Each structure stands twice: as structure tokens, then as C-alpha cells.
Amino acid sequence: MTAHELLSQVLPSLLAGTSRRPLTTSMTKLQALSLTGQALRLSGPSRPTDYSLEPEVGDRRKVVPEDCRRALVRLLAGKKAQSPESDPLALALALTLERQRLRLHPFDLPRLEAFVRVYSARLGTQAQVWAQRGATAEDQRGFFEADDLTDATWHMAGYPAKARYIEERRRQDASAARNLVQQVWASENADGRVRLLKAIQVGLGNDDVPFLESLAKDRAPRVRDLALRLLSRLGRSGSSGLEACLERIERSQVGMLRKRPVLALRPPATVNDQGLATWVVETFGEIGLDDLARGLGLSAFELIEAAQKDEPFLFASLVMATAEGRLDLVKAVMAQGLSQAWEVLQSLPFDLSLWSVDNRVRWADAVVQPSSWGPSSLWSLTALFKRLESPISEGLFDAVLSSKAWSEFSRDKGKVSSETLELLAAVCPSGRRPRLRTLLDNFPGSLTTRATSFLEILTALEAHA
Amino acid sequence: MPLSLDKIEALAPDQSSLDAARKLLKSSSWPTLAKDDTSLVWGECQGSGATPYRVVISESDGGYKCTCPSRKFPCKHSLALMWMRAEAKVAFSPSPVPPWVTDWLSRRRGPSNVVENVTPPAKSIRQTSEPEVIDAKAEARALAARERNAQEREASLLAGLDELDLWLEDQVDSGLAGFVTEAGSRCRLMAQRLVDAKAPGLATRLDAFPSRLYALPEPQRPLAVVEELGLFHLMAQAYRRQQLLSPELRADIRLVVGWTLTREALLGDAAALRQKGNWLVFAVRNEVQPDKLRRTETWLMDDAPEPHLAVLIDFVPVSVGTVSSGYAIGDHFEAELVYYPSPLPLRALVAQQQGPTMSDPKPLSTTEVDLSEAYSAYERALALRPWLGDWPILFGTARLRRQGSTLFLCSVAQPSWGGLPLHPSQNDLASPLLSLETFSGAGIVDGKTVWLAWAETSLGRWVCS
């Protein structure tokens, strides 16, 4: 029998069962089975000739240098591979790749699946395509580098890139940016509208009032609330936020020859010490410091000086100044001696995303005071790093290493962990890497492997830049 | 911690470990003995497995690691390396630290700890003995016993094959389309019978069939049953008629059924095919078999103009835990291989390695043939060895395409030839190759899919690891 005859005449009987469909050949059942099986094997798998067209994905970033690839993959695909969002070294590398406009080698994308999935927006268009390869067509977003976006194409990017684009345009031309947002407003879902409205906060001004007032009837409560808060920041009615804040302020005067105002915060009786900071952020977080000062007949700087003896009020002033992006006011608050501000703030929902990266570092310099830290406060560097999205300044790094917290921590061999050293490496500014390397030499190699490898990768990446 | 014989005595778990280590104190057993300029010492020791064991010692803190599956720590290989180092009778070449040593360093948790408060058994290097003198009468008795056992086993095997035929007939009677839903239980029962009949090779293959079957797309499963069960009858018939087969095919079918050929017997066979060359490891694969053995395949090719190919296969009990292969992808070494007898020699052992294993990158030397022509070599091999399993192919030109969710390795020279389905487990890892027009490489064909091992591309080397 030929192979064709075996497949057409014998195979059906084998599949159906020879008891139901006897063989019509003189072969035994097992001979028929063997020969048919071999005929199938020799015919091989079916080989299609029509295939899908793969989309071309352009990515202008340079690929990570070859001599860095292996160390990069080993660092990011190791034991912490499954939770890159909690690995400061993973965030640090993503920020570095973004800053240096580098992308992962395409062959390494599958090996670094978890890392790419979490940080794809920072890793270039190829990484974004890779991260979204399983998404439905409705959930996929356009793949654009932030630098490539224009007024004509910005709305096609993913939300992080769109929001950043609008923030940047607001700094250049607030009205033009607002017009761009208004053009696409109706086609955005609630999440998108909230994110774009947050971006409008950059350069907020009176010209934005008509647009904000038009949002009073937006179908999403979150959008309506945010618009009201922004209006109240502009001193417009429609929000009772400012009035509610003013009601909580006790005003008095001191001085013989020259009366100076003294301000103190009086929180509701229902707010205890543990909940005070949260209440402050919730109540004052969306109020402008200038507006509050105006309501009290003072300038912002006069308000800060008047609150110098009231820590809760100083803290509230810090929250307001931070929300508005006012580094000058932040410094003025901290100059009044507010202590442990960072220790309180780090676990609260405050936003630095409207600040440029450089100003965030300056904010940290003003607010974070390692000299007052206990040993457990070292871990707050994690929260700080996530908010700064940058290494800390050299001055702040030196302050951390000079702190009592660090010296107690590093003396206690039982306390030192690889995670602490990795955190230090992640926040370390480039000018302090030699100092950190020397410090790492004092610890067992098993604790410093990742941190050391990370520093070597950074050095190699910068050498190629 | 400079090594000394006293320290090695103290480290050894028992006397038998020292006895075993003494037998390894020959530099001929160690194709690699090296050190760096700090305190690392490493070597490769040819053991009973197909691939050498890799051993590394850190003299500074007493750490050690060996890739052998022994549950004694330190194992005889580690002890032997320390012993040679302490006696300083054998030269250790200064060498750059290879990647596998770097990987061990990066994974170390700290220095090896000495178990305290346990009185170790008495052990002494002085008491290790030289090999015993052979008793001729005892040897003769053992030989006779072995021959008796072999005859009993042959009889048992043939009876087992008769039972297999009955089982196959039952399946054919009831219909192979219906076999799919009960493949697990049916194969398990018959596999047990084959184990009892002392045909472990057939038993393992039958036991593993259901998982291979369910990995296929559903429409392909009934035909796969016909192929595989047909093959079992073919193998049974070949075994029964082995006297009519060529010596190579006879030896091959005996190995397939489950007779073993020891390393010593193969090395002592003057007729065994030997091949010297510079061998490159182009693939390493691990699989846990139903019999709870972890099977490690190390695929090799040499640098001849028409490359010779080989596979080293090691089996380690799963209970031992994960044990890394002696070789990594990209390793290359000078060695003489000896092949197991077969009409298509592929499985081999390292008879003698000359020189250390190198880890520096070396390009794959593929032929110029297109994928379509390379696959023809597989088809010719199938004709020569009907129960051919996995077979390596080398190709000069191919590309990856997609149809639906399946990737295909396609011919470039003959688009009408189509493509071979890629093994589904590689979809993610191989996806980056979709953007490339053509590449050369190596793969392993199993008759249904191709498992891509290595590709030389315009973006550099891609390997499956």
C-alpha cells in the first residue's frame, strides 16, 4: 500500500476502532498501525505558507552596550525578578535607561518580563510593544517616546506620556496646553480626564477658570471634585474648602510696640494625634498657601512666620507649598524649624509629580533631615526615591551616612541587610559612588553583590554615554 | 584559610568520602585546574556522568561548590580539589574567572558553616586505601551470574513485548481517537508492565507520552496517537528480529528498549565511533521524566567544515534537587567523544577532555544550507532510524513568522516550502526574532516542532536559555 492509501483507507479504521470499522487490507492490525504511523511521521507537520505581517516598531534609542547586558540581566532577572516594583535597583536602572535614552536589547525583553511590564513606559517603544503584546486592541495604547510627541500626535500616546506632555506644554504655554486638552476631552474616559486635569495644575491661573467651571457637570465625580479644588485654589467660589480651613485657624497677636500675628491650627475634636497629619493633608492639600494667606490678610511668608510656634500649622503650610510646587515657600517653612516633616509625610499621599526632577531633589534637601532619624527611618529612603525618581543630592547622601541612624544601623551586624545596601546604591548620586564603594567593602560580599553590580553597571553605562 | 590536610580531614563528612577523593587525585581526571589571583580555585572533574563536574573553592572563607548530585558536603570532588591544592603537587593555571564561578559567587549566602556540637565520625587521610587487587574466581562467578541474569531478562522482555502487542491490539480495536481522553491511565498501566518486564526504556517513553500528547493542539492528538503507538509495535518487532538487523541498529534498539551500556564498556569498545574536535555547546535542555529522573541534554557541534553533532545525556534523581549541567551554552572545549552505537551516532560521552573548558563567545559555524534543505537531513535520518527522537539541524538561512498564536521557523530560499512550527514553550523567548529578515542557527526537531537552540542574527547571538 502506498502512504496515501494507508492514510485514506487504513487510518479511518484505526481511529474509529477496527471492531467497528474492520480493516480492508490483508495486513494484521499492528502491521497496519505501524505502517500508518510511519506514513504520518514521514509526511511531517503541516507547513503553512501564509503568515501575519509583523508591525514595524521603530525605536530611536540606542541599545544597552553589549558588555553591560549580561550583568543587567543577571541583576534584574535574579531572585527579586518577580517584584521589580519593590526593588529600588530596578527603579534606578529604569530611570537611568530613560535618562540616557537607552533601551534593552530585544533578546533580553523576554528574560526581563516582570521588569519590562512594570517600567515599560520608561524603556522605549519596543519595550512598550512587548509589554502590551497580550493586550486586546481596545486596551492597547500607541507607542511613542515622550520626546517624539507633538501637538498633533500627543493624544495617541499612553496616559503617562500624555500627562507628561501636557505638563511640559503647560510650562511653555499654559493656554495652548489647555486647548489641547479641551480638544480631546470628550473622547477621554474618567481616568484619562482625571490625569489630564491633574496635569493642568502646572501653571494654574485665572485663564483656566472657564474650563474648570465647565467641569461642574462632568459625569465623573472625581473630575468634578478635582475641578472644584482647583477653582478654590484660584480663590473662586464654589468650594467650601478654603472657608473650612479658615475656620480651623486661631488668630492672635503678640508684641508691645509692633503687633505681630500669631496663628495656630485648631483641628476638630474628633481628630486625635495619630490622625492629625492625615487630616491636615486632606483638609489643606488642595488649598493654595497664597489663597489661605490672602484670606487672613497676610502674604504667604507672613503666614509662615506667624505660624512658627505651631507645628501642625507649619506642617500644613509645608503640605500646601508642596502641592503648589513652591520651593521658596517650602524652604521658608523648614527655616522655621519644623522637625521630622519627612518622617510624617513619607507615608501620606502627597504628590511631587508636578515638580521637575531637579526641584524634587531640592525639595528633599530642604525637607529631609537625616540627623533626626531613628534607625528604622533609613527605610524611608525607599519612599523618597520613588517620589524623587532620581538619586538624592550629594549633601543629603552625606547627611544620611553621617547620621546616628546609619552609624547605629551599620554597627549592628544582625541588622544590616542586602536590601539596605541596595537602597543606598539606588539613591547614591554619581559623585558619591567612590565613597559608597569603599563603604560596601566593609560588608560581607554576600550582602553587597547586587549593590556592587549595580554600581558597575551604572559606571559602564555612563562610560558609553 | 590556607588549605591543609588537617583542615580537609576535619571537613570531610566521613572516611569513605576521603577514600573516594583519593581516587580522584589524578590530574588526568581533571581537564581543568585553575586559580585566580585572589583566593578562588576551580576545576572540572570527569566523573561517571556524560559531562564533567564543576568544582570551585574559595580559600579565603572555605566555601565550596560542586555540580555533582552527591548529598555529602563536601563531596569527593570538592575534597579532591582541596587535597590537590593543599599538597601542591599539581599545577593550577592562573586564569580569568569563568562565568560559572562568577555566578556561584553572586549567589553565595556566605561562608560555609561548620556544624557545631556534633561529633564527626573519625576519618583520616592516612587511612585511605589504594584500590583492591581483583579476585579472579570472584570475577568469574560474577560474570556467570551476569550472563544468567541477562538471559532471564531477555525472556522477561520478550514476554513483556508480547503483552505490549496485546495491549496495542486492544487500543486499535476500541479506536485510537478515543484513546486521547484516557491516555494517562492507559499508558501508566502498560508502562508499569514494561517496567516489570525489565524494559525501562520503553516504559519511560510510554509513561511520558500523555504529557507530550496534551501539549499538542487538540486536532493533532488522534494522529499523534497513531504515530506513537505504531512506533511501539515497530520497536517491539525490531527487538524481536534484532538478529536480522545491522549491528548498529541492533545495538540501538537494545538501548532504546532499556539495556544499558556502561561508560566503562563504551570506552572499552574498540569498535565504538570516536571523534576528536573542538566542541561547542549550542544547547542545554532539562526535563523531569515520569520516573523522577532529571534528564539533562548537552548538545554539541564541532568546528569541522561539515560539523559533527553529538548529545551528552545525564540522569540525576529529582530528589537531589536542581543540579546545574557540567557545561553551559557557549562553552567550548577540546575533547574526544565516543558515540553510543547507532546507525546515526548522536548520543556520546566525553572520553577525554584535553584542556580547560573555555567560555568566551564563539560563533556557531553553520552550513550555508537553507532550512528546507536542513530539514531534509532530518527526513533522511528518519528513514535510517525509524524510532528517531530528537534530531539536530543546522541551517544557514531561515526566518521566524507568525500565524495566529503559533510561530513558525520558515525557509527563506523557498518561501513555498513554508515553515516548521516552533515549540510552543519558546514563543515568548523567540518573539524578538520576528523582526528579523533572516538568520542562521541550530535547532532540534522532534518530528512535530522545531526547538530553536541558537541563532546568529544581525542583532547578535540569540540562545535559548
Side-chain angles (χ1 to χ4, degrees):
Chain A
M1 285 186 108
T2 64
H4 174 73
E5 286 164 344
L6 284 167
L7 296 180
S8 59
Q9 296 172 25
V10 174
L11 181 60
S13 294
L14 295 174
L15 292 173
T18 51
S19 57
R20 290 187 206 95
R21 188 169 164 167
L23 292 170
T24 55
T25 165
S26 56
M27 281 187 257
T28 67
K29 282 183 268 192
L30 295 188
Q31 281 175 332
L33 174 64
S34 283
L35 288 171
T36 308
Q38 284 303 94
L40 284 170
R41 290 190 86 202
L42 289 165
S43 65
S46 70
R47 300 196 302 261
T49 52
D50 293 323
Y51 301 97
S52 310
L53 208 56
E54 296 299 314
E56 280 202 29
V57 180
D59 196 330
R60 295 205 310 245
R61 293 191 185 194
K62 279 168 60 175
V63 176
V64 161
E66 191 62 33
D67 56 357
C68 298
R69 277 182 64 197
R70 191 188 170 107
L72 200 68
V73 170
R74 193 186 301 131
L75 186 73
L76 294 174
K79 57 181 179 179
K80 296 193 177 166
Q82 294 315 307
S83 53
E85 56 278 340
S86 61
D87 179 11
L89 295 185
L91 173 57
L93 279 169
L95 292 169
T96 303
L97 293 177
E98 184 178 37
R99 197 166 52 245
Q100 294 192 11
R101 291 188 56 75
L102 292 172
R103 60 185 167 103
L104 295 171
H105 193 287
F107 296 168
D108 295 334
L109 292 173
R111 297 188 173 92
L112 301 176
E113 174 82 47
F115 172 72
V116 173
R117 192 171 16 88
V118 172
Y119 296 112
S120 62
R122 302 188 185 275
L123 301 176
T125 49
Q126 275 207 346
Q128 292 171 55
V129 171
W130 176 264
Q132 291 198 39
R133 68 193 187 285
T136 59
E138 293 82 22
D139 291 336
Q140 284 196 358
R141 294 281 173 254
F143 312 114
F144 289 90
E145 275 284 14
D147 290 357
D148 292 339
L149 292 177
T150 64
D151 283 2
T153 62
W154 76 277
H155 62 283
M156 292 192 279
Y159 279 121
K162 280 160 75 169
R164 280 203 293 275
Y165 182 78
I166 293 298
E167 286 164 13
E168 198 48 47
R169 281 298 268 133
R170 287 284 291 182
R171 292 186 184 104
Q172 298 162 0
D173 183 342
S175 286
R178 187 186 61 251
N179 289 338
L180 290 175
V181 169
Q182 283 179 282
Q183 282 165 23
V184 303
W185 191 256
S187 62
E188 293 287 340
N189 61 23
D191 276 341
R193 296 201 301 280
V194 168
R195 289 174 94 143
L196 290 176
L197 196 53
K198 283 187 176 174
I200 292 285
Q201 291 179 92
V202 176
L204 193 68
N206 288 328
D207 286 347
D208 299 315
V209 167
F211 172 58
L212 293 174
E213 284 177 341
S214 75
L215 301 181
K217 291 201 170 62
D218 191 279
R219 53 194 185 277
R222 290 181 288 153
V223 173
R224 296 197 298 268
D225 286 347
L226 180 55
L228 273 177
R229 289 203 295 274
L230 295 182
L231 280 169
S232 74
R233 202 186 285 181
L234 292 169
R236 296 295 167 134
S237 63
S239 165
S240 59
L242 180 59
E243 287 84 15
C245 290
L246 288 169
E247 285 168 9
R248 290 286 153 205
I249 297 170
E250 193 175 85
R251 188 172 180 158
S252 57
Q253 285 186 314
V254 294
M256 300 282 285
L257 293 176
R258 186 171 144 256
K259 299 287 185 191
R260 294 190 312 278
V262 172
L263 300 174
L265 208 56
R266 292 290 171 257
T270 51
V271 175
N272 59 21
D273 286 346
Q274 282 77 32
L276 180 59
T278 305
W279 175 81
V280 165
V281 170
E282 286 173 357
T283 308
F284 291 86
E286 299 296 341
I287 305 297
L289 190 52
D290 281 322
D291 295 331
L292 187 68
R294 210 178 299 121
L296 294 166
L298 301 168
S299 72
F301 290 98
E302 286 168 343
L303 179 151
I304 291 168
E305 194 174 338
Q308 62 180 265
K309 296 226 187 304
D310 191 84
E311 279 233 338
F313 206 146
L314 281 179
F315 182 74
S317 303
L318 176 64
V319 168
M320 287 184 275
T322 300
E324 284 187 293
R326 294 285 303 270
L327 183 61
D328 55 340
L329 296 177
V330 167
K331 288 180 176 175
V333 169
M334 297 308 297
Q336 296 300 332
L338 180 62
S339 62
Q340 304 209 318
W342 167 246
E343 287 85 314
V344 175
L345 264 177
Q346 51 131 345
S347 56
L348 296 174
F350 73 99
D351 197 359
L352 282 180
S353 60
L354 298 182
W355 293 60
S356 68
V357 170
D358 287 343
N359 275 345
R360 288 183 218 173
V361 174
R362 294 187 188 106
W363 179 93
D365 280 342
V367 173
V368 181
Q369 297 162 331
S371 57
S372 64
W373 283 0
S376 61
S377 296
L378 284 170
W379 288 109
S380 69
L381 284 173
T382 307
L384 182 64
F385 183 50
K386 284 185 178 173
R387 285 194 163 91
L388 298 189
E389 296 183 333
S390 159
I392 58 181
S393 69
E394 292 180 7
L396 186 54
F397 191 77
D398 290 340
V400 169
L401 293 187
S402 304
S403 68
K404 195 169 157 213
W406 170 253
S407 65
E408 280 181 15
F409 188 88
S410 57
R411 261 202 308 271
D412 187 342
K413 294 295 177 212
K415 274 200 179 129
V416 176
S417 65
S418 56
E419 285 79 11
T420 324
L421 301 176
E422 288 161 21
L423 183 52
L424 273 186
V427 302
C428 178
S430 56
R432 288 293 183 265
R433 278 188 217 141
R435 182 180 177 188
L436 180 60
R437 281 205 190 86
T438 307
L439 185 148
L440 291 176
D441 285 342
N442 296 326
F443 295 95
S446 54
L447 296 181
T448 62
T449 308
R450 288 189 88 232
T452 307
S453 177
F454 167 76
L455 294 176
E456 286 168 359
I457 293 170
L458 285 194
T459 305
L461 288 177
E462 284 166 6
H464 284 281
Chain B
M1 185 193 93
L3 289 166
S4 67
L5 295 182
D6 288 339
K7 287 210 166 81
I8 294 167
E9 264 185 8
L11 274 175
D14 50 38
Q15 184 66 40
S16 63
S17 295
L18 286 174
D19 292 340
R22 172 180 276 282
K23 293 175 187 165
L24 295 175
L25 297 181
K26 308 179 289 228
S27 56
S28 58
S29 297
W30 295 82
T32 301
L33 285 170
K35 62 177 183 177
D36 72 346
D37 53 7
T38 60
S39 59
L40 290 172
V41 174
W42 64 92
E44 291 172 313
C45 178
Q46 188 56 62
S48 55
T51 55
Y53 300 124
R54 287 177 161 170
V55 194
V56 58
I57 294 165
S58 169
E59 290 181 303
S60 63
D61 59 12
Y64 53 84
K65 168 72 181 169
C66 179
T67 58
C68 79
S70 170
R71 297 302 258 177
K72 286 188 178 180
F73 302 106
C75 64
K76 61 183 181 182
H77 308 102
S78 303
L79 289 170
L81 187 65
M82 293 179 201
W83 197 333
M84 288 189 291
R85 184 76 178 141
E87 285 192 325
K89 289 179 184 170
V90 174
F92 285 74
S93 322
S95 300
V97 178
W100 59 270
V101 173
T102 311
D103 284 344
W104 172 69
L105 285 174
S106 69
R107 282 198 294 270
R108 282 192 75 192
R109 291 199 190 98
S112 305
N113 292 322
V114 176
V115 176
E116 296 177 359
N117 300 324
V118 172
T119 306
K123 39 206 159 53
S124 160
I125 281 177
R126 284 185 197 79
Q127 286 178 16
T128 59
S129 53
E130 297 294 334
E132 294 176 8
V133 175
I134 295 169
D135 179 347
K137 281 188 185 165
E139 268 298 301
R141 280 197 297 275
L143 182 64
R146 282 197 292 273
E147 281 177 5
R148 223 173 19 252
N149 290 341
Q151 285 165 9
E152 284 171 8
R153 186 177 174 185
E154 284 283 3
S156 174
L157 238 165
L158 290 170
L161 295 181
D162 290 341
E163 213 177 326
L164 174 66
D165 276 355
L166 286 173
W167 180 81
L168 289 170
E169 282 188 1
D170 287 344
Q171 310 313 313
V172 167
D173 278 340
S174 55
L176 299 181
F179 180 92
V180 175
T181 54
E182 294 182 15
S185 52
R186 292 190 196 182
C187 289
R188 185 89 273 274
L189 275 172
M190 188 62 230
Q192 285 281 65
R193 300 264 201 4
L194 289 171
V195 168
D196 296 339
K198 298 186 177 46
L202 291 180
T204 301
R205 183 170 180 141
L206 188 59
D207 221 356
F209 176 55
S211 59
R212 287 205 322 272
L213 183 67
Y214 296 135
L216 295 171
E218 212 171 315
Q220 295 178 21
R221 291 175 193 170
L223 299 184
V225 172
V226 174
E227 273 187 47
E228 187 70 4
L229 297 193
L231 199 55
F232 271 93
H233 178 63
L234 189 142
M235 290 189 288
Q237 285 293 78
Y239 190 84
R240 290 188 184 100
R241 298 173 184 174
Q242 56 183 282
Q243 299 307 322
L244 302 177
L245 304 177
S246 68
E248 294 83 13
L249 206 54
R250 179 166 65 243
D252 194 309
I253 190 60
R254 290 180 68 81
L255 288 172
V256 165
V257 163
W259 290 92
T260 52
L261 182 56
T262 63
R263 178 185 169 82
E264 290 71 28
L266 184 58
L267 291 177
D269 181 0
L273 176 65
R274 287 167 182 259
Q275 186 68 47
K276 279 187 182 173
N278 190 301
W279 297 93
L280 170 71
V281 179
F282 70 86
V284 176
R285 302 200 302 183
N286 284 286
E287 181 193 36
V288 175
Q289 299 183 156
D291 56 3
K292 304 290 185 248
L293 288 177
R294 186 186 308 277
R295 171 191 170 104
T296 299
E297 297 173 354
T298 307
W299 293 81
L300 310 173
M301 61 178 292
D302 71 0
D303 55 3
E306 289 198 21
H308 300 97
L309 298 162
V311 62
L312 312 176
I313 302 179
D314 286 291
F315 297 95
V316 172
V318 168
S319 57
V320 165
T322 307
V323 175
S324 59
S325 161
Y327 297 113
I329 298 173
D331 283 351
H332 55 100
F333 54 94
E334 290 280 348
E336 181 183 55
L337 302 189
V338 58
Y339 287 86
Y340 285 79
S342 171
L344 290 170
L346 183 65
R347 189 181 171 193
L349 293 175
V350 176
Q352 181 78 31
Q353 181 169 335
Q354 290 99 19
T357 306
M358 312 299 285
S359 302
D360 52 301
K362 202 171 169 256
L364 194 77
S365 58
T366 57
T367 60
E368 294 299 314
V369 299
D370 180 65
L371 175 70
S372 52
E373 203 179 320
Y375 186 73
S376 300
Y378 165 76
E379 291 174 321
R380 290 193 293 275
L382 191 56
L384 287 173
R385 187 175 183 253
W387 44 83
L388 187 70
D390 295 338
W391 189 255
I393 56 170
L394 305 176
F395 52 89
T397 52
R399 68 173 297 184
L400 208 63
R401 306 287 301 271
R402 184 198 304 272
Q403 190 195 70
S405 59
T406 307
L407 300 187
F408 290 83
L409 188 66
C410 298
S411 171
V412 168
Q414 295 184 55
S416 59
W417 185 85
L420 297 169
L422 195 75
H423 197 280
S425 65
Q426 295 193 300
N427 273 6
D428 272 353
L429 199 62
S431 287
L433 296 170
L434 284 165
S435 63
L436 302 171
E437 288 293 326
T438 182
F439 50 84
S440 62
I444 299 166
V445 176
D446 64 4
K448 302 227 176 330
T449 63
V450 58
W451 189 90
L452 190 59
W454 184 302
E456 295 285 356
T457 81
S458 56
L459 295 180
R461 173 174 310 146
W462 176 97
V463 291
C464 181
S465 61

